C-alpha cells in the first residue's frame, strides 16, 4: 500500500472546505469574519457590562426561537461545557437517585460523574451495545432520567420522549442540538455545548430548562445540601436571567454561538438545519450502502445519526489509512472514535457543511480506495 502522503487527490474532487470533525466542528468563515470585525469593541470587555450581556441576550433569544420553547422554559448558560453540567447536575438537579442510558462513551460519562457522590444513591444503569440504544424504565424510585439524544462516539440517535412519572427527563444534546428535531415538551432539560452543530468553541454549557426543572434546581439550592458555588445551577439560572454567567466566559464562544444560531434561524430554524443534516446523511449512507467495501456501522436506519455518521470498511481497506490520506490532502478529522476500536471513519454532517462538500468527500473516498487497490 502506498504511503498516504504520496496519494494526491485531484483538486477538482476536493470539498470546498475539508473540515468534517465530530467536534470541535467547522466554524463558518463568515462567523470568524464577523468576530474579527467586532473584536475592537467586543473582545476584552467586561462580561457584566452591556456589550457582552447583549450578546448573551442574543444567544438566549435566538435559542428560544430556534427550539420553539414553551412558556416558562428558560435558557440557562454556565461555564464548563457539558462535562461541567454533569457535575452541576450531580449537586443541583438529582434529589436522590438517577437512571442513565449507557450506549457509548459519552452517554456513560454522566453516570460516572454521579456514581460515588456521597449525598446520592448509586445510579441505575441501563446499557446497550454500541450501535444500538436502550430505553428508559419508569420507576417511582428514580427522580432523574439521564438520556442522550445522539451518541457521538457511535453515531446513534435515540427518540426523545418524556419518561412517565415524577422524575425529570434530562437529555444530553451536545451533538444533537441544532441538527436534530426535538419537541421541548418531551423533556425537562436539554443541555449541550456550542462546539458541534453550532460551529463554535467549547467551555460553555447551555441548558434549556422546563419550569419543573427550575423548581427542582431552586428547591435543592434552598436545602441544606452543600453545593460548590461554581457548580450551582441556581446561580446559573439567576445569572442567565441577567444575561450573564457566574464567572467570566470565553467571549469568542458567546459571539460564535449567537452568530450561528441567528444564521440558522434566518434560513428556517431547526426545520432547515435538521433537513440539511438529513440530506448530508442520506448522501453518505447511500454511498456506504452501495459501495462493496463500506457499510454503515449502525444497522438500523431509523437510529442512524444525521449529524455524525460512522462508516465501517471491509479489509483490506483501512479506515486509519483513509483518514490519514484524506488529512494529507486537507480533508481532516474523519478518524474513528479511538475507544470504539472499529475499522471505520466518523464523519460530521453538521448544518455548517453543505451537501456538495459531502458529495465531494465520497468522491475523494472513491479515489483513494481505487488508488490503493489497483
Amino acid at each position: 500500500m502506498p504511503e498516504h502522503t504520496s496519494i494526491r487527490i485531484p483538486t477538482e474532487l476536493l470539498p470546498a472546505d475539508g473540515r468534517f470533525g465530530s467536534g470541535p466542528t467547522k466554524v463558518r468563515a463568515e462567523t470568524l469574519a464577523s468576530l474579527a470585525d467586532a473584536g475592537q469593541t467586543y473582545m476584552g470587555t467586561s462580561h457584566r457590562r452591556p456589550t457582552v450581556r447583549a450578546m448573551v441576550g442574543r444567544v438566549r433569544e435566538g435559542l428560544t426561537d430556534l427550539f420553539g420553547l414553551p412558556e416558562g422554559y428558560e435558557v440557562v448558560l454556565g461555564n464548563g461545557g457539558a462535562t461541567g453540567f454533569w457535575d452541576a447536575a450531580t449537586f443541583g438537579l438529582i434529589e436522590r437517585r438517577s437512571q442513565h442510558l449507557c450506549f457509548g462513551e459519552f452517554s456513560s460519562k454522566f453516570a460516572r460523574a454521579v456514581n460515588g457522590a456521597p449525598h446520592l444513591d448509586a445510579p441505575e444503569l441501563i446499557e446497550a451495545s454500541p450501535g444500538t440504544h436502550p430505553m428508559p424504565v419508569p420507576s417511582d424510585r428514580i427522580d432523574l432520567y439521564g438520556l442522550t439524544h445522539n451518541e457521538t462516539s457511535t453515531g446513534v440517535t435515540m427518540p426523545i420522549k418524556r419518561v412517565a412519572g415524577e422524575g425529570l427527563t434530562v437529555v444530553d444534546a451536545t451533538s444533537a442540538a441544532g441538527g436534530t428535531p426535538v419537541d421541548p415538551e418531551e423533556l425537562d432539560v436539554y443541555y449541550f455545548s456550542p462546539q458541534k452543530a453550532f460551529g463554535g468553541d467549547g467551555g460553555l454549557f447551555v441548558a434549556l430548562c422546563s419550569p419543573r426543572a427550575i423548581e427542582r434546581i431552586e428547591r435543592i439550592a434552598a436545602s441544606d445540601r452543600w453545593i460548590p458555588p461554581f457548580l450551582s445551577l441556581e446561580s446559573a439560572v439567576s445569572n442567565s436571567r441577567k444575561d450573564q454567567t457566574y464567572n467570566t466566559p470565553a467571549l469568542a464562544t458567546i459571539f460564535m454561538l449567537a452568530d450561528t444560531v441567528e444564521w440558522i434561524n434566518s434560513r428556517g430554524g431547526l426545520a432547515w438545519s435538521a433537513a440539511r443534516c438529513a440530506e448530508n446523511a442520506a448522501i453518505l449512507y447511500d454511498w456506504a450502502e452501495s459501495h462493496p467495501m463500506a457499510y454503515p456501522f449502525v444497522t438500523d436506519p431509523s437510529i442512524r445519526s444525521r449529524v455524525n455518521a460512522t462508516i465501517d470498511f471491509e479489509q483490506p481497506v483501512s479506515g486509519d489509512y483513509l483518514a490519514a490520506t484524506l488529512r494529507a490532502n486537507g480533508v481532516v478529522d474523519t478518524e474513528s472514535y479511538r475507544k470504539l476500536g472499529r475499522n471505520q471513519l466518523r464523519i460530521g454532517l453538521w448544518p455548517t457543511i453543505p451537501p456538495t462538500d459531502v458529495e465531494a468527500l465520497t468522491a475523494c473516498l472513491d479515489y483513494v480506495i481505487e488508488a490503493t487497490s489497483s
Side-chain angles (χ1 to χ4, degrees):
M1 188 175 293
E3 288 290 329
H4 58 78
T5 54
S6 68
I7 297 178
R8 306 312 304 170
I9 300 173
T11 302
E12 62 270 19
L13 296 183
L14 293 171
D17 192 302
R19 292 173 289 175
F20 290 93
S22 290
T25 65
K26 171 186 172 182
V27 180
R28 296 171 60 246
E30 296 85 350
T31 296
L32 294 174
S34 295
L35 177 59
D37 289 342
Q40 292 295 319
T41 56
Y42 174 74
M43 296 298 292
T45 63
S46 171
H47 75 291
R48 300 192 188 279
R49 298 300 174 185
T51 301
V52 176
R53 290 176 64 184
M55 194 66 63
V56 175
R58 284 172 56 184
V59 168
R60 298 180 70 230
E61 181 179 354
L63 289 172
T64 298
D65 291 343
L66 180 69
F67 290 99
L69 295 185
E71 185 72 25
Y73 279 61
E74 298 189 39
V75 179
V76 177
L77 281 71
N79 289 331
T83 304
F85 183 84
W86 293 327
D87 290 337
T90 299
F91 280 101
L93 203 55
I94 302 171
E95 289 190 293
R96 180 53 55 187
R97 194 180 193 202
S98 55
Q99 180 185 105
H100 301 264
L101 304 190
C102 303
F103 52 107
E105 178 66 17
F106 298 101
S107 55
S108 303
K109 284 190 172 183
F110 189 8
R112 291 201 290 271
V114 173
N115 195 31
H119 60 285
L120 299 176
D121 293 342
E124 180 176 280
L125 309 184
I126 302 179
E127 299 179 299
S129 301
T132 65
H133 70 79
M135 294 298 291
V137 178
S139 169
D140 58 9
R141 297 180 294 112
I142 299 298
D143 60 78
L144 182 146
Y145 297 91
L147 315 184
T148 300
H149 199 175
N150 188 80
E151 174 50 69
T152 320
S153 67
T154 63
V156 170
T157 295
M158 69 169 292
I160 299 301
K161 296 290 184 181
R162 182 181 294 280
V163 184
E166 297 300 315
L168 299 180
T169 299
V170 176
V171 182
D172 182 347
T174 293
S175 59
T180 308
V182 69
D183 179 0
E185 296 275 13
E186 296 289 347
L187 52 88
D188 291 297
V189 181
Y190 197 65
Y191 65 92
F192 53 90
S193 303
Q195 74 271 22
K196 306 285 187 177
F198 294 108
D201 269 343
L204 180 81
F205 74 73
V206 177
L208 314 180
C209 297
S210 73
R212 294 178 72 221
I214 297 295
E215 187 278 331
R216 172 79 64 85
I217 289 168
E218 293 176 342
R219 176 156 44 85
I220 291 178
S223 71
D224 59 1
R225 178 183 294 178
W226 179 77
I227 300 174
F230 180 74
L231 299 176
S232 169
L233 289 176
E234 189 277 332
S235 177
V237 170
S238 62
N239 275 284
S240 294
R241 288 169 175 168
K242 303 172 188 175
D243 289 336
Q244 60 191 34
T245 53
Y246 171 70
N247 61 319
T248 306
L251 301 192
T253 300
I254 298 287
F255 185 99
M256 288 189 287
L257 176 57
D259 186 83
T260 306
V261 168
E262 291 171 353
W263 173 73
I264 292 174
N265 280 337
S266 71
R267 278 154 179 76
L270 188 57
W272 173 83
S273 60
R276 172 175 266 204
C277 290
E279 182 179 358
N280 287 342
I283 293 168
L284 187 60
Y285 289 131
D286 287 349
W287 173 85
E289 289 182 322
S290 64
H291 197 287
M293 303 300 289
Y295 56 94
F297 168 58
V298 180
T299 58
D300 181 351
S302 70
I303 63 172
R304 287 175 187 162
S305 174
R306 270 51 177 175
V307 288
N308 77 302
T310 45
I311 305 299
D312 276 15
F313 293 90
E314 299 280 5
Q315 295 291 351
V317 176
S318 164
D320 290 344
Y321 182 88
L322 289 176
T325 305
L326 290 173
R327 182 173 290 278
N329 285 269
V331 180
V332 302
D333 298 340
T334 63
E335 290 81 3
S336 63
Y337 188 71
R338 61 193 183 280
K339 292 185 179 180
L340 192 57
R342 304 282 302 187
N343 181 33
Q344 69 177 206
L345 298 181
R346 186 173 61 137
I347 297 167
L349 304 166
W350 313 105
T352 54
I353 298 175
T356 52
D357 276 356
V358 181
E359 291 173 342
L361 173 63
T362 63
C364 291
L365 289 169
D366 283 334
Y367 183 88
V368 176
I369 292 172
E370 176 65 25
T372 56
S373 61
S374 58

